[in-house]
Amino acid sequence: MRKKKKWLVGMLVIVNVFLLFGCGKRQETREDKVHIGVTYYNQSDTFLNELLAQFKEQLKNPEHEELEATVTILDAAGSQRTQDDQVKELIDMGCDVLCVNLVDRADPSEIIDLARDHDVPIIFFNREPVEEDLRQWDELYYVGAEAKQSGVMQGELAAEVIQKNTQIDKNRDGKIQYVVLEGEAGHQDSIIRTGNAVDTIKNSGIELEKLSYQIANWNRVQAQNRMEQLISQYQNKIELVLANNDDMALGAIDAYKKANYTESAWPVFFGIDGTDAGLRALADSELSGTVYNDKEGQAKAMAKMVEAIGTDEEIAEKYVYLPYIKVTSENIGEFLEK
Ligand code: GAL
Ligand code: CA
């Protein structure tokens, strides 16, 4: 059984006092504090910033109303060494639970050892550790989404648009010339998204011709630079841009704007995430489709786990995967409201 944390014991004591005297005002129970330490791989990442904003929102309204959460969020700035030090710092600060978005998803050993030595559970999120690592200790959890599903959905969205609009095949050779903008090399959401998106389009009967795959590390500016090079290399030959996330799709669009291409000469662009800027570009018909990476669902799942750890509830699943959702101009309204 899980060792009870200080703040949980505090809460039980207060609850008992209430049972004995049967009265009291709610705010008097708000003495049960949980300190959550978060570290994430890079503060320049749009999706993660939006996800963490949601997480903070969730913690303001916990299901266990007695719980008062404070959060410390640190930016690992792309360095695993820095992140290892940050975990130590967060533990020394007295954090009761850690939420870790690994810099290097293949290298969590030091963090796991530190947390286990101090009995501080870890909820990993978004950058999935390998199963073997998650089995190192029973207080390790993961919240994220299935990379394969997002790739398949992006492929389905693209196939549907291509089948409906014959003018996307600009040179009318019966094939769609495409480029891919990929996230980081070792990330589960890069290679799996690309492979499944491309296979799904092909399986729908569309003939594809690959022009180039470029790594742009989830980043809008890097994607713009890559795309500028591709435009000068292929000129108007590119008919489809598949980006592993919205920010890179937006960077590609930036490149076409900068090159002064009229919209009718643009390829079609597809992203993943449904970030605020991504949804806006979809509403403006610059982006042809995106796949919603359910940040609200993920933030809620993380907050629930934090509470469960705190109240010593059993956590049924070590892994929680939130489903992706296809977003098109037809259902975008639901997402703009979020
Ligand atoms: C992906 C997301 C990307 C980026 C990446 C960081 O799930 O689609 O935009 O945030 O995670 O790990
Ligand atoms: Ca073509």
Side-chain angles (χ1 to χ4, degrees), residues 41 45 47-48 126-127 187 189 193 218 245 273 293:
Y41 87 103
D45 188 288
F47 172 73
L48 282 167
N126 170 267
R127 299 161 78 89
H187 196 296
D189 288 339
R193 282 179 179 171
W218 312 117
N245 77 345
D273 276 344
N293 196 352

Side-chain angles (χ1 to χ4, degrees), residues 10 19 100 134 176 241 302 325:
L19 287 176
V100 177
L134 224 64
I176 301 298
V241 177
M302 287 165 67
I325 311 159

Side-chain angles (χ1 to χ4, degrees), residues 168-177 207 209 237-239:
I168 290 171
D169 179 12
K170 285 188 286 197
N171 63 352
R172 310 230 165 243
D173 67 348
K175 295 180 224 163
I176 301 298
Q177 281 69 28
E207 206 179 323
E209 185 187 342
K237 287 210 186 79
I238 303 165
E239 298 172 337

Side-chain angles (χ1 to χ4, degrees), residues 178-185 190 194 210-219 222-231 233-234 238 241-244 248:
Y178 77 103
V179 302
V180 178
L181 293 169
E182 298 203 281
E184 294 153 279
S190 298
T194 302
K210 167 178 159 183
L211 297 179
S212 185
Y213 283 25
Q214 295 289 323
I215 290 179
N217 297 308
W218 312 117
N219 184 281
Q222 285 187 38
Q224 180 184 336
N225 291 335
R226 298 284 168 283
M227 201 69 225
E228 281 169 10
Q229 286 161 13
L230 291 172
I231 294 172
Q233 191 175 347
Y234 297 104
I238 303 165
V241 177
L242 295 172
N244 284 166
M248 293 189 292

